[in-house]
């Protein structure tokens, strides 16, 4: 079964940033609830060329097969789009809501909801006030001292060197019972959670404190609130300037989020930011991922297939010309249809990223990072997979991973004929069947036109 013959692949969407807290547009969420905002993101998503079986929610909820799983989506964002921080933050937020709802009523009361009225009031305050000054180091301040660039007295110098620490009170992050209740695939923090909490706590707290100071947050965060320590790590990893997985937020969005997090650790404090992140995932990353996944061959194989298609068309033209110039009957000119038909079908499919030979077996090439998974040390491969789903991990750099150097040394012929694997996702196979059928039908029409032109020409009688 195939989709409509008018089916088109999802268009490529260029990365762009959507601000839901833009001062120019004013309060954009007045009169709506968090659930309504979430639904508006889903309802306004017009993903052309993406069937329901491959929808964003199906992929995130684990309802798809390789190569369209959440793991494949994450790998695409890391290795191809280089923007995995949105998905990592989104997965953390989903799990954070679940864990927050599991808290006792007394614990939840410590972190009140961040209401829409508070968010809008904060947005208006940020609109009326200029953007806060960025913190500068003591060394930089010394260089500019006495010049026109000398910072005023109110400029904030590096926090942690003299100032009070707003995180001095021991936090009440949920105990090991919360960590144990989380499945390994559900991302919140690494298996060595106690080590992460003790070894990097001071560093995360210092970065979070610096972010609060840079946003000119006057109020000290309430450290008795649940998950306060985890929120500090989130700020240092995703929100602070220069964070390893810094989200693409405007200065006003960042300042508004930090003011909200200084007041509460309730999930609604992330309302505006998660709307921006989810919009980017649904309307840009997801569409580009499906478009990329439809391609069943690597780039060398697709270029090779295009070359074969062009060669087939050229062969059909040469055959038709030679027959026209000879004394052979007009019927013999129909033989050129073989070259035209195969060449045009191969070229059309390859232009959409598909190799017809691989499609005939419903196979796809292994990705470069999948090729050497069996050869590499099992522990290093497991560590690589854990790092990408460790939402409280370091940056998403992969240049030092073993497969990068190995794949660069691989010769071109081996890349063209790399190892293959069967495509397990039925919806993806159905999309590829549709594209193949479109290529064949298009080839039949164009072949008929080309052959008809050559058949109509008079004999050359040169030999």
């Amino acid at each position: 079964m195939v989709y409509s013959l008018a089916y088109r692949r999802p268009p490529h969407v260029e990365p762009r940033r959507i601000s839901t807290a833009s001062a120019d547009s004013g309060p954009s969420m007045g009169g709506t609830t968090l659930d309504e905002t979430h639904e508006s993101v889903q309802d306004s998503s017009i993903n052309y060329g993406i069937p329901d079986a491959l929808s964003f929610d199906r992929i995130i909820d684990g309802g798809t097969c390789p190569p369209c799983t959440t793991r494949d989506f994450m790998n695409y964002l890391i290795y191809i789009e280089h923007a995995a921080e949105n998905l990592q933050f989104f997965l953390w937020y989903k799990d954070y809501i679940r864990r927050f709802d599991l808290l006792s009523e007394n614990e939840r009361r410590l972190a009140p909801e961040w209401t829409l009225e508070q968010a809008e009031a904060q947005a208006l305050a940020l609109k009326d006030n200029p953007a806060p000054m960025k913190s500068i180091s003591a060394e930089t301040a010394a260089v500019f001292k006495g010049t026109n660039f000398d910072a005023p007295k109110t400029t904030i110098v590096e926090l942690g060197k003299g100032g009070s620490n707003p995180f001095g009170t021991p936090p009440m992050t949920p105990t090991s019972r919360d960590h144990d209740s989380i499945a390994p695939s559900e991302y919140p923090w690494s298996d060595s959670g106690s080590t992460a909490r003790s070894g990097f706590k001071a560093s995360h707290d210092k970065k979070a404190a610096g972010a609060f100071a840079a946003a000119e947050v006057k109020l000290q965060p309430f450290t008795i609130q649940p998950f306060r320590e985890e929120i500090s790590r989130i700020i240092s990893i995703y929100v602070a300037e220069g964070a390893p997985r810094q989200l693409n937020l405007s200065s006003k969005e960042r300042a508004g989020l930090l003011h909200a997090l200084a007041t509460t650790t309730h999930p609604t404090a992330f309302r505006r930011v998660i709307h921006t992140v989810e919009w980017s995932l649904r309307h840009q990353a997801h569409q580009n991922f499906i478009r990329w996944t439809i391609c069943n061959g690597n780039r060398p194989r697709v270029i090779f297939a295009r070359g074969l298609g062009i060669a087939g068309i050229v062969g059909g033209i040469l055959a038709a010309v030679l027959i026209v110039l000879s004394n052979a009957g007009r019927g013999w000119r129909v033989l050129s249809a073989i070259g035209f038909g195969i060449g045009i079908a191969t070229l059309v499919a390859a232009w959409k990223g598909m190799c017809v030979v691989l499609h005939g077996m419903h196979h796809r090439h292994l990705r470069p990072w999948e090729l050497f998974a069996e050869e590499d040390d099992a522990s290093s491969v497991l560590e690589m997979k854990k790092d990408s789903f460790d939402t409280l991990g370091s940056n998403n750099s992969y240049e030092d991973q073993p497969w990068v150097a190995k794949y660069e040394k691989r010769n071109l012929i081996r890349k063209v004929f790399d190892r293959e694997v069967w495509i397990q996702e039925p919806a993806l196979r159905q999309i590829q069947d549709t594209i193949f059928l479109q290529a064949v039908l298009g080839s039949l029409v164009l072949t008929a036109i080309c052959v008809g032109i050559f058949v109509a020409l008079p004999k050359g009688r040169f030999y």
Side-chain angles (χ1 to χ4, degrees):
M1 191 175 76
V2 297
Y3 293 110
S4 168
L5 292 179
Y7 172 83
R8 295 180 62 184
R9 284 190 304 164
H12 178 77
V13 183
E14 292 296 333
R16 53 182 175 172
R17 202 192 66 77
I18 295 296
S19 174
T20 59
S22 173
D24 297 332
S25 61
S28 58
M29 294 171 60
T32 61
T33 64
L34 180 62
D35 291 337
E36 291 170 347
T37 302
H38 175 76
E39 290 173 3
S40 69
V41 173
Q42 293 177 314
D43 295 340
S44 62
S45 176
I46 307 177
N47 294 329
Y48 294 107
I50 303 179
D52 292 338
L54 295 178
S55 66
F56 176 79
D57 295 304
R58 285 287 295 271
I59 292 175
I60 295 299
D61 294 338
T64 52
C65 301
C68 300
T69 62
T70 310
R71 167 72 60 193
D72 297 304
F73 192 15
M74 181 71 76
N75 287 337
Y76 166 78
L77 292 176
I78 291 177
Y79 302 124
I80 305 300
E81 200 160 287
H82 310 294
E85 59 275 357
N86 281 339
L87 180 58
Q88 290 163 335
F89 180 80
F90 180 77
L91 294 177
W92 169 83
Y93 181 74
K94 283 191 63 178
D95 185 74
Y96 182 70
I97 293 177
R98 181 188 65 82
R99 290 183 285 123
F100 192 91
D101 291 340
L102 293 176
L103 294 175
S104 65
E105 183 65 27
N106 291 335
E107 287 179 302
R108 288 201 299 269
R109 286 177 181 174
L110 294 174
E113 180 181 352
W114 182 251
T115 63
L116 284 167
E117 290 74 15
Q118 289 175 296
E120 290 171 358
Q122 185 61 51
L124 290 174
L126 292 173
K127 179 180 179 180
D128 296 336
N129 297 327
M133 287 185 173
K134 294 183 179 180
S135 60
I136 61 173
S137 65
E139 294 79 4
T140 305
V143 171
F144 289 125
K145 187 174 183 180
T147 68
N148 292 334
F149 302 100
D150 191 5
K153 297 295 183 181
T154 56
T155 300
I156 303 168
V157 183
E158 268 187 12
L159 207 76
K161 296 183 179 179
S164 60
N165 184 359
F167 299 94
T169 307
M172 291 190 64
T173 298
T175 58
S176 59
R177 63 179 173 85
D178 301 289
H179 179 256
D180 295 340
S181 65
I182 302 166
S185 60
E186 290 188 272
Y187 14 91
W189 46 60
S190 61
D191 293 338
S192 56
S194 59
T195 304
R197 288 193 292 272
S198 60
F200 299 101
K201 179 180 180 299
S203 174
H204 288 310
D205 285 354
K206 183 177 179 180
K207 291 179 181 178
F212 280 118
E216 293 186 346
V217 177
K218 307 298 183 183
L219 182 66
Q220 287 192 355
F222 298 99
T223 53
I224 64 169
Q225 291 174 336
F227 299 108
R228 174 55 68 183
E229 180 186 334
E230 184 177 349
I231 292 299
S232 298
R233 292 199 295 274
I234 290 298
I235 292 172
S236 67
I237 295 171
Y238 293 98
V239 181
E241 288 281 357
R245 296 179 180 178
Q246 182 178 346
L247 297 174
N248 189 15
L249 305 176
S250 68
S251 59
K252 290 187 175 69
E253 284 178 314
R254 183 178 295 104
L257 174 60
L258 291 170
H259 278 81
L261 293 178
T263 304
T264 180
T265 57
H266 196 279
T268 53
F270 295 94
R271 178 187 284 112
R272 290 183 181 272
V273 170
I274 200 62
H275 189 280
T276 301
V277 168
E278 186 174 357
W279 194 99
S280 176
L281 287 172
R282 288 181 180 274
H283 294 262
Q284 186 252 324
H286 175 236
Q287 292 192 47
N288 290 346
F289 169 64
I290 298 300
R291 178 185 176 90
W292 174 80
T293 306
I294 291 173
C295 303
N296 59 4
N298 57 25
R299 182 170 178 77
R301 179 62 169 258
V302 171
I303 293 176
F304 179 73
R306 290 176 183 175
L308 288 180
I310 294 173
I313 296 173
V314 171
I317 294 174
L318 289 176
V321 169
L322 292 175
I323 297 173
V324 167
L325 296 177
S326 70
N327 288 317
R330 293 178 183 269
W332 290 99
R333 302 177 192 181
V334 179
L335 291 176
S336 63
I338 298 175
F340 281 120
I342 295 176
I344 294 175
T346 302
L347 183 61
V348 171
W351 215 261
K352 296 185 178 183
M354 282 180 49
C355 171
V356 293
V357 176
L358 290 175
H359 173 71
M361 300 177 288
H362 277 139
H363 281 191
R364 68 173 178 89
H365 270 157
L366 288 173
R367 312 300 183 192
W369 51 89
E370 297 173 328
L371 272 173
F372 306 99
E374 298 177 1
E375 302 174 13
D376 292 339
D377 180 57
S379 60
S380 64
V381 175
L382 179 61
E383 190 66 28
M384 179 181 69
K385 292 181 179 180
K386 281 173 51 180
D387 287 346
S388 61
F389 274 85
D390 183 3
T391 54
L392 299 180
S394 57
N395 59 33
N396 294 314
S397 175
Y398 64 88
E399 288 79 6
D400 57 345
Q401 292 180 5
W403 67 265
V404 177
K406 291 181 179 179
Y407 192 74
E408 287 179 354
K409 296 177 182 178
R410 204 174 184 85
N411 63 64
L412 183 60
I413 301 301
R414 290 194 68 185
K415 288 181 180 179
V416 171
F417 300 100
D418 257 336
R419 284 187 292 165
E420 306 164 10
V421 66
W422 186 62
I423 297 173
Q424 300 180 36
E425 175 55 48
L428 181 60
R429 295 199 303 267
Q430 195 171 344
I431 291 176
Q432 293 176 341
D433 288 341
T434 304
I435 293 175
F436 177 74
L437 182 58
Q438 290 174 338
V440 171
L441 293 178
S443 174
L444 290 176
V445 173
L446 293 176
T447 298
I449 294 174
C450 294
V451 172
I453 293 174
F454 282 107
V455 169
L457 294 176
K459 293 181 180 181
R461 301 182 185 278
F462 287 99
Y463 52 90

